[in-house]
């Protein structure tokens, strides 16, 4: 196969109108930021792990910010040139960061997903969702509504994984493509992510079991019962603790990821964030033939109410996700 650069792929797959050009430029800007983040991570061991240290602030999630969270957020903001972005929404920013008054797009980002894994030489990533700006007035309360569109309105979404490879899974609305960073450039991989209809792996943080709702408890019990249970197949368990890494595996092998609601304080609506974690992943998942739900409603149909809103997130192979939904 002739190697195709991401820039070339975008030229073929995105309309060359004003919004399309803005979209292409935004994705290429994010790639530039991802190279800075990947390099910082590669060198994290020299002279000593510094990127996982707490740097003080509690971010919008109530998690304390680590050095790499801040570095990633800054690298992304500084990467934006000719991208026509009206506003940037980030896990690391309390509110909208207004950028270009005539910007055509808004972007919602989790700059560094899986930050508990930073110092452990495990995969982490950057997740992004790009939407068309609808507001006419360049003021925070108007721009805010642009980020609160249902996920089905996304123009593009994707995530970078910083692991053994620096890689990207991307959708611009017609299928999903994968890229790998090679000699400074993102090159398309032959692999077209497509989620098999059924899998035999589940990913969930089992340590929360005692807090789960009945459907989540029943579902995992059915998986554990294997060939003797209602699903009549044996499951294996994988849990990376980085959404991006667990998602990557599901794009390759199928299976199901669950971060359901639970009875802990602040977790009754799940843990993950709707506009910069669940929506971009759900868009990719649906484009790859899988399914994403909060248990009751498809993720992409939810009308967000707040920029840091949490949501239960269950996604993966269609049949597996249907099985989960049937317990609701
Ligand atoms: O961004 C949130 C996140 O780090 C995800 O990447 C991951 O799936 C999840 O939290 C793990 O959460 P916990 O370890 O708190 O269950
Ligand atoms: Mn995250």
């Amino acid at each position: 196969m002739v190697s195709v650069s991401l820039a070339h792929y975008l030229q073929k797959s995105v309309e060359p109108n004003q919004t399309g050009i803005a979209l292409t430029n935004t994705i290429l800007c994010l790639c530039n930021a991802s190279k800075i983040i990947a390099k910082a991570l590669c060198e994290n061991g020299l002279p000593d792990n510094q990127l996982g240290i707490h740097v003080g602030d509690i971010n919008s999630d109530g998690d304390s910010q680590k050095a790499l969270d801040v570095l990633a957020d800054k690298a992304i903001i500084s990467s934006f040139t000719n991208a026509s972005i009206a506003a940037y929404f980030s896990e690391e920013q309390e509110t909208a960061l207004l950028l270009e008054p005539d910007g055509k797009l808004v972007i919602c980002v989790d700059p560094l997903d899986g930050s508990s894994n930073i110092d452990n030489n495990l995969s982490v990533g950057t997740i992004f969702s790009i939407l068309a700006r609808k507001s006419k007035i360049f003021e925070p309360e108007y721009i805010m509504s642009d980020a609160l569109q249902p996920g089905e309105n996304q123009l593009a979404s994707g995530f970078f994984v910083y692991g053994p490879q620096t890689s990207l899974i991307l959708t611009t609305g017609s299928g999903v493509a994968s890229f790998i960073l090679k000699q400074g450039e993102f090159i398309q991989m032959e692999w077209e992510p497509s989620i098999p209809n059924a899998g035999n792996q589940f990913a969930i943080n089992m340590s929360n079991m005692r807090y789960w709702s009945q459907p989540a408890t029943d579902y995992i019990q059915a998986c554990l019962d294997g060939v003797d249970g209602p699903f009549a197949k044996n499951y294996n368990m994988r849990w990376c603790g980085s959404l991006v890494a667990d998602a990557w595996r599901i794009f390759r092998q199928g299976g199901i990821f669950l971060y359901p609601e639970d009875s802990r304080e602040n977790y009754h609506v799940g843990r993950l964030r709707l506009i910069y974690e669940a929506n971009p992943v759900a868009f990719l998942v649906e484009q790859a033939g899988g399914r994403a739900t909060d248990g009751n409603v498809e993720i992409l149909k939810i009308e967000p109410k707040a920029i840091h809103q949490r949501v239960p997130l269950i996604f993966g192979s269609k049949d597996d996700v249907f099985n989960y939904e049937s317990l609701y």
Side-chain angles (χ1 to χ4, degrees):
M1 187 190 179
V2 185
S3 57
V4 175
S5 70
L6 173 63
H8 190 240
Y9 170 86
L10 290 169
Q11 231 171 41
K12 282 188 311 179
S13 58
V14 177
E15 292 280 326
N17 54 25
Q18 271 190 333
T19 304
I21 293 166
L23 194 65
T24 294
N25 290 346
T26 299
I27 294 167
L28 295 175
C29 290
L30 289 166
C31 286
N32 288 337
S34 79
K35 293 175 199 172
I36 294 170
I37 301 166
K39 185 165 185 287
L41 263 164
C42 281
E43 293 166 6
N44 188 24
L46 299 170
D48 196 0
N49 293 342
Q50 292 291 328
L51 296 174
I53 56 169
H54 296 273
V55 290
D57 280 8
I58 302 288
N59 69 14
S60 54
D61 282 5
D63 290 338
S64 77
Q65 283 180 316
K66 297 190 169 162
L68 189 61
D69 287 319
V70 176
L71 182 153
D73 195 47
K74 285 190 177 147
I76 292 166
I77 296 167
S78 346
S79 75
F80 296 142
T81 40
N82 292 325
S84 193
I85 299 172
Y88 170 71
F89 296 84
S90 157
E91 177 168 3
E92 304 307 327
Q93 306 275 339
E94 193 58 42
T95 187
L97 185 69
L98 268 54
L99 296 171
E100 292 186 50
D102 298 326
K104 297 261 171 286
L105 306 174
V106 295
I107 178 164
C108 309
V109 181
D110 178 356
L112 206 283
D113 176 62
S115 45
S116 69
N117 281 329
I118 293 172
D119 275 346
N120 300 328
N121 201 14
L122 291 169
S123 295
V124 294
T126 296
I127 313 174
F128 61 90
S129 158
I130 305 174
L131 292 150
R133 173 185 176 184
K134 297 257 157 61
S135 62
K136 301 261 180 304
I137 303 171
F138 189 61
E139 279 172 22
E141 68 262 40
Y142 295 95
I143 297 282
M144 206 68 93
S145 66
D146 292 320
L148 302 180
Q149 302 179 55
E152 62 191 1
N153 287 6
Q154 289 170 101
L155 299 177
S157 78
F159 62 82
F160 296 90
V161 182
Y162 314 114
Q165 307 152 344
T166 294
S167 51
L168 163 68
I169 293 192
L170 174 74
T171 181
T172 54
S174 53
V176 181
S178 65
F179 302 85
I180 180 166
L181 182 62
K182 205 173 161 192
Q183 291 165 351
E185 204 178 0
F186 279 92
I187 304 292
Q188 189 172 5
M189 291 165 76
E190 274 184 48
W191 171 51
E192 269 182 38
S194 146
I195 300 178
N197 282 340
N200 52 14
Q201 300 192 88
F202 68 84
I204 193 164
N205 185 340
M206 288 289 292
S207 68
N208 299 322
M209 193 167 177
R210 67 191 185 283
Y211 304 114
W212 292 341
S213 63
Q214 203 56 48
T217 308
D218 293 347
Y219 181 82
I220 296 300
Q221 188 56 57
C223 294
L224 297 175
D225 289 341
V227 285
D228 302 325
F231 304 150
K233 58 178 173 179
N234 289 330
Y235 278 80
N236 194 0
M237 193 192 92
R238 285 286 180 272
W239 176 254
C240 299
S242 292
L243 172 62
V244 289
D246 282 310
W248 184 278
R249 185 190 59 253
I250 285 174
F251 280 99
R252 289 202 74 92
Q253 300 177 345
I256 186 166
F257 172 100
L258 308 100
Y259 214 120
E261 68 285 9
D262 67 46
S263 62
R264 285 172 295 165
E265 210 182 329
N266 291 330
Y267 283 76
H268 59 282
V269 282
R271 185 206 201 294
L272 299 167
R273 306 290 155 159
L274 177 55
I275 70 166
Y276 46 79
E277 292 184 315
N279 271 343
V281 169
F283 190 26
L284 290 161
V285 165
E286 293 213 351
Q287 286 293 320
R291 188 169 171 83
T293 177
D294 71 357
N296 289 307
V297 182
E298 282 168 63
I299 294 292
L300 296 182
K301 299 223 178 310
I302 299 172
E303 300 266 352
K305 302 273 180 293
I307 58 175
H308 296 295
Q309 178 176 337
R310 292 174 191 249
V311 71
L313 175 61
I314 293 86
F315 70 87
S317 292
K318 261 187 183 156
D319 294 354
D320 296 340
V321 176
F322 280 136
N323 281 338
Y324 180 80
E325 289 170 295
S326 71
L327 295 169
Y328 263 74

